[in-house]
């Protein structure tokens, strides 16, 4: 049995906790919940059949030898704050706020620690499809990886970069390209919404070679990610039209489902897909 601690009890953390509780996430048990807003963890814990402990802080989780995997479902800042400590404590780390890895120094430190401590980082495919094929395609030459992300303008409300560009998202009446550049820059400028850019970059040809276009589109209601890849394998186009998660309209429901499946894969004996 693998013991799990979930850090962040929002949309993804709650969905994952319930899935573990219902036995949908394989042979795993939920040992801890932790949230900077303690009441969120307490409320979630009390709604579950098998009640996990509510941790007071990350150290409580890291000092418990029974915990095998820490799941981050919080923010990119939390990934940076806890990431190395989790791995140094000898625990595997599942990361949802993938955008944190835009910082190359941080990414390289994590890679070194993984090797030193013989532990693992798991990145769920999240809100896009095609990661399986991109990983396989990257075994050979790839000419191009491109992501086009289209979201309703409200999804960009409060984004600093959009504000600095002088764009008022409430006044957008036709599709506006907010950003065109590398996956690394996209993850830096859109820390909340474009985690998938970094996931795609890490799966394929890297964060600097992966091209990203971000569009605020008042004609769409869903978060839409298009992935275009060309290489020695041929060509690939994947379009994912995401419904929002019931508890957080900024998060795609598929991201939470993908986290459940990634956890389940840890104990699956018959594994399908790259
Ligand atoms: N990989 C993907 O495809 C993908 C898709 C959607 C969302 N995400 C990312 O996953 C993360 C979680 O998403 P969500 O929709 O569940 O968010 P959410 O806002 O619903 O929940 C986040 C929770 O984390 C808590 N939190 C914040 N900082 C913390 C810290 N330092 N320590 C402990 N708890 C902390 C918050 O209080 C909140 O309860 C976000 O960073 C989001 O951008 C990734």
């Amino acid at each position: 049995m693998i013991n799990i601690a979930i850090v962040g009890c929002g949309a993804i953390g709650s969905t994952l906790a319930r899935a573990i509780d219902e036995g949908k996430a394989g042979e795993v048990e939920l040992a801890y919940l932790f949230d900077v807003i303690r009441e969120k963890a307490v409320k979630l814990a009390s709604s579950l059949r098998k009640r996990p402990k509510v941790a007071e802080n990350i150290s409580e989780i890291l000092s418990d030898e029974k915990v095998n995997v820490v799941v981050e479902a919080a923010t990119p800042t939390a990934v940076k704050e806890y990431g190395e400590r989790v791995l140094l404590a000898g625990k595997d780390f599942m990361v949802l706020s993938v955008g944190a890895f835009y910082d190359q120094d941080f990414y390289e430190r994590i890679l070194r620690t993984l090797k030193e401590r013989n532990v693992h980082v798991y990145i769920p495919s999240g809100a896009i499809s095609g990661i399986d094929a991109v990983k396989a395609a990257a075994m050979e030459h790839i000419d191009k990886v491109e992501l086009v992300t289209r979201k309703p303008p409200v999804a960009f409300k409060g984004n600093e970069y959009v504000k600095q560009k002088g764009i008022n998202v409430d006044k957008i009446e036709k599709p506006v390209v907010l950003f065109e550049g590398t996956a690394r820059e996209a993850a830096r400028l859109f820390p909340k919404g474009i985690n998938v850019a970094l996931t795609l970059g890490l799966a394929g040809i890297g964060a600097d070679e992966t091209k990203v276009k971000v569009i605020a589109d008042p004609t769409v209601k869903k978060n839409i990610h298009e992935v275009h890849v060309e290489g020695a394998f041929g060509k690939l186009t994947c379009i994912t039209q995401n419904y929002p998660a019931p508890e957080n309209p900024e998060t795609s429901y598929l991201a939470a489902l993908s986290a459940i499946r990634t956890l389940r894969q840890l104990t699956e004996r018959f594994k399908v897909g790259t």
Side-chain angles (χ1 to χ4, degrees), residues 8 10-12 35-36 40 73-74 78 82 96-97 126-127 192 195-196 248 251 255:
I12 295 179
D35 199 294
V36 276
K40 289 183 91 169
Y82 311 139
L96 270 304
S97 307
K192 272 192 175 176
N195 287 288
V196 290
N248 180 358
T251 282

Side-chain angles (χ1 to χ4, degrees), residues 158-170:
N159 177 282
E160 276 309 315
Y161 168 73
V162 174
K163 272 193 214 156
Q164 274 168 22
K165 285 188 83 153
I167 297 172
N168 180 348
V169 294
D170 294 327

Side-chain angles (χ1 to χ4, degrees), residues 230-252:
E230 289 179 26
F233 74 100
K235 281 189 184 184
L236 168 148
T237 295
C238 278
I239 303 176
T240 319
Q241 300 193 19
N242 284 301
Y243 290 123
E247 293 170 47
N248 180 358
E250 282 182 35
T251 282
S252 301

Side-chain angles (χ1 to χ4, degrees), residues 154-190:
V154 66
F156 302 101
K157 216 174 169 128
N159 177 282
E160 276 309 315
Y161 168 73
V162 174
K163 272 193 214 156
Q164 274 168 22
K165 285 188 83 153
I167 297 172
N168 180 348
V169 294
D170 294 327
K171 300 225 164 108
I172 291 178
E173 285 173 354
K174 54 182 184 5
V176 175
V177 176
L178 297 178
F179 171 85
E180 259 189 295
T182 65
R184 190 183 304 284
E185 272 301 278
R188 187 176 73 82
L189 298 172
F190 298 89

Side-chain angles (χ1 to χ4, degrees), residues 66-83:
K66 286 201 303 294
V67 174
N68 310 101
V69 182
V70 175
V71 179
E72 174 281 328
T75 62
T77 313
V79 177
K80 286 191 151 179
E81 200 180 330
Y82 311 139

Side-chain angles (χ1 to χ4, degrees), residues 79-97:
V79 177
K80 286 191 151 179
E81 200 180 330
Y82 311 139
E84 281 170 287
R85 290 179 62 196
V86 169
L87 303 178
L88 286 169
K91 304 185 188 309
D92 291 338
F93 193 32
M94 185 165 135
V95 177
L96 270 304
S97 307

